[in-house]
Amino acid sequence: MTFTQLITRSLLVLSALLPTAQAAVDVNQLIRQAEKTAYYAGDDGRSDARMMIVDSQGRKQLRQFTILRKDVKDNGDQKMMVFFSRPTDVKDTVFRVEKHAATNEDDDRWLYLPALDLVKRISAGDKRTSFVGSHFFYEDVSGRAVSQDDFSMLSETAERYILKAVPKQPDTVEFAYYIVEIDKATSLPVLINFFKSDDTNYRRVESVEIEEVQGFPTVLRSKVSDLTNGGYTLMEFRGSEYNVGLPDEVFSERSLRNPPVQWIK
């Protein structure tokens, strides 16, 4: 064996022993795929949901409702209706969303209160306030557009990408930044921790159970925890379906007072 052949062989052996360099990850593409997977599965969808709200003293409240959703465009505009059925004090309450992700305008959100026969518009400043007394925010339910934050890669494990997100308009939110972990196998965000400017981790959103439904990775149980005052809300989804053919008129103002019974029973 010549000297040149010996060197070549040694280099080949050495390269086989060294870890393979990881390809650079396109962060923008990564978060857009995570957004699409989490909020835009199929062209539309419906699901029955139940919230169990547990306060810091262990007292429990139940919320039961049906979610209907229709996409105008993936990662873009979207329509959503949430119809409450239990308990009695929230029965027939309806939450309506017109999402304007394509134009970066504030989403339109309304809440119909049947006891007052009143349609209340939810201002942009209230999007990060409690959703019907739970630890979820209005924005958690309809989804925060990834275009509202600047993302950077912090680290990577065998199973997850770990990113830091900083709001582009910090005066419109209560957090300074959040850390999101995206599951590589499903592209779903599975853990989000929110932090104040002093690095206090005060809020956590978790995907507790994930299953594939009609070929789409789907969160069947999620949890939001108040890490400052205690308490949490667990949300469970049942009967999730995609591409059911929801008509546009389901998402109109008329449905606030006259729910489309055929889609929510």
Side-chain angles (χ1 to χ4, degrees):
M1 181 180 293
T2 67
F3 178 75
T4 301
Q5 289 173 323
L6 180 63
I7 293 297
T8 302
R9 183 178 178 182
S10 298
L11 289 173
L12 289 173
V13 172
L14 180 61
S15 64
L17 296 175
L18 291 174
T20 303
Q22 294 181 334
V25 176
D26 185 329
V27 172
N28 183 61
Q29 181 179 345
L30 175 64
I31 60 171
R32 284 183 63 81
Q33 181 59 48
E35 178 185 53
K36 180 181 177 181
T37 305
Y39 291 103
Y40 294 86
D43 295 326
D44 62 25
R46 76 169 302 282
S47 182
D48 296 320
R50 183 177 69 174
M51 274 183 177
M52 181 61 69
I53 306 166
V54 183
D55 69 15
S56 58
Q57 299 180 41
R59 294 173 296 195
K60 298 179 180 179
Q61 297 182 61
L62 177 70
R63 300 278 187 269
Q64 196 164 301
F65 48 91
T66 298
I67 301 175
L68 304 180
R69 181 262 305 169
K70 185 170 186 175
D71 303 338
V72 177
K73 183 179 180 181
D74 285 347
N75 296 95
D77 291 359
Q78 187 180 68
K79 304 174 182 181
M80 179 181 289
M81 302 289 288
V82 179
F83 300 91
F84 286 82
S85 56
R86 293 180 60 191
T88 304
D89 61 338
V90 297
K91 187 177 186 297
D92 297 328
T93 297
V94 183
F95 176 49
R96 179 188 175 205
V97 181
E98 292 278 351
K99 200 169 182 177
H100 305 302
T103 58
N104 271 336
E105 297 176 7
D106 288 328
D107 297 342
D108 290 315
R109 297 178 176 88
W110 300 267
L111 194 66
Y112 173 63
L113 305 172
L116 302 174
D117 191 25
L118 173 69
V119 177
K120 176 185 177 183
R121 189 180 184 89
I122 300 169
S123 69
D126 291 333
K127 64 186 178 183
R128 296 195 60 78
T129 59
S130 172
F131 177 65
V132 292
S134 73
H135 296 86
F136 283 82
F137 291 163
Y138 285 100
E139 192 173 61
D140 295 325
V141 178
S142 56
R144 179 175 176 82
V146 296
S147 59
Q148 294 180 292
D149 305 312
D150 288 318
F151 290 83
S152 58
M153 182 74 70
L154 289 182
S155 60
E156 178 182 349
T157 70
E159 295 82 22
R160 297 181 180 183
Y161 295 110
I162 302 171
L163 295 86
K164 180 178 181 179
V166 179
K168 295 179 180 178
Q169 296 181 299
D171 57 329
T172 65
V173 293
E174 86 290 351
F175 60 87
Y177 65 94
Y178 60 88
I179 305 297
V180 55
E181 300 187 15
I182 298 175
D183 179 63
K184 290 183 177 180
T186 64
S187 293
L188 283 171
V190 292
L191 180 63
I192 308 174
N193 280 295
F194 291 86
F195 295 82
K196 297 288 189 181
S197 56
D198 63 358
D199 296 327
T200 299
N201 180 196
Y202 69 97
R203 189 170 187 263
R204 178 172 296 146
V205 180
E206 303 171 78
S207 297
V208 179
E209 181 181 350
I210 298 171
E211 288 187 9
E212 192 170 287
V213 177
Q214 295 174 233
F216 299 102
T218 302
V219 177
L220 298 185
R221 298 179 76 200
S222 59
K223 182 181 180 182
V224 175
S225 302
D226 181 341
L227 304 181
T228 301
N229 300 314
Y232 63 90
T233 295
L234 184 66
M235 181 150 59
E236 299 180 344
F237 299 93
R238 300 175 181 178
S240 297
E241 299 177 274
Y242 300 107
N243 297 321
V244 296
L246 292 169
D248 287 334
E249 53 265 28
V250 164
F251 301 90
S252 65
E253 184 176 352
R254 183 177 184 276
S255 290
L256 293 172
R257 292 183 171 86
N258 299 282
V261 178
Q262 68 271 32
W263 296 107
I264 63 176
K265 62 183 179 181

